[in-house]
Amino acid sequence: IDSALEIEGDNPSYIKQKAVICFENKNPAESIKQFRKIKSNPDMPEIKLLLAETLINSDLNEDAINEAKSELNEILNGDYNQN
């Protein structure tokens, strides 16, 4: 996936795949970083949920908890395209 990102670094599908791989490989910090890049993509409303899940499963601190709550509230309110 890194090779694909070198060619098309702004491709949201590749970024999503990298985020998922990082999550599965127990690298939540990098996963969160990648999900944040594409969380406003209108074609990928699931990213906010994946980001919230990653935040919840990371070493929770106050900021992570608040961000996860914010993402989940946006989903519940139907605000998929907000930053």
Side-chain angles (χ1 to χ4, degrees), residues 38-54:
I38 56 173
K39 73 177 189 172
S40 298
N41 187 314
D43 298 325
M44 300 179 128
E46 74 278 12
I47 298 302
K48 288 185 176 285
L49 184 58
L50 293 169
L51 175 57
E53 178 183 5
T54 304

Side-chain angles (χ1 to χ4, degrees), residues 24-72:
E24 291 173 352
N25 288 328
K26 310 287 189 240
N27 187 352
E30 184 62 27
S31 180
I32 291 165
K33 177 181 169 185
Q34 297 302 317
F35 281 136
R36 283 178 176 156
K37 290 180 183 179
I38 56 173
K39 73 177 189 172
S40 298
N41 187 314
D43 298 325
M44 300 179 128
E46 74 278 12
I47 298 302
K48 288 185 176 285
L49 184 58
L50 293 169
L51 175 57
E53 178 183 5
T54 304
L55 288 162
I56 289 167
N57 287 304
S58 68
D59 292 329
L60 292 178
N61 61 44
E62 190 73 24
D63 291 337
I65 292 169
N66 289 334
E67 185 175 356
K69 286 179 183 178
S70 175
E71 298 301 337
L72 292 172

Side-chain angles (χ1 to χ4, degrees), residues 69-80 82:
K69 286 179 183 178
S70 175
E71 298 301 337
L72 292 172
N73 282 327
E74 287 179 14
I75 292 167
L76 292 172
N77 293 324
D79 299 330
Y80 301 113
Q82 289 186 3

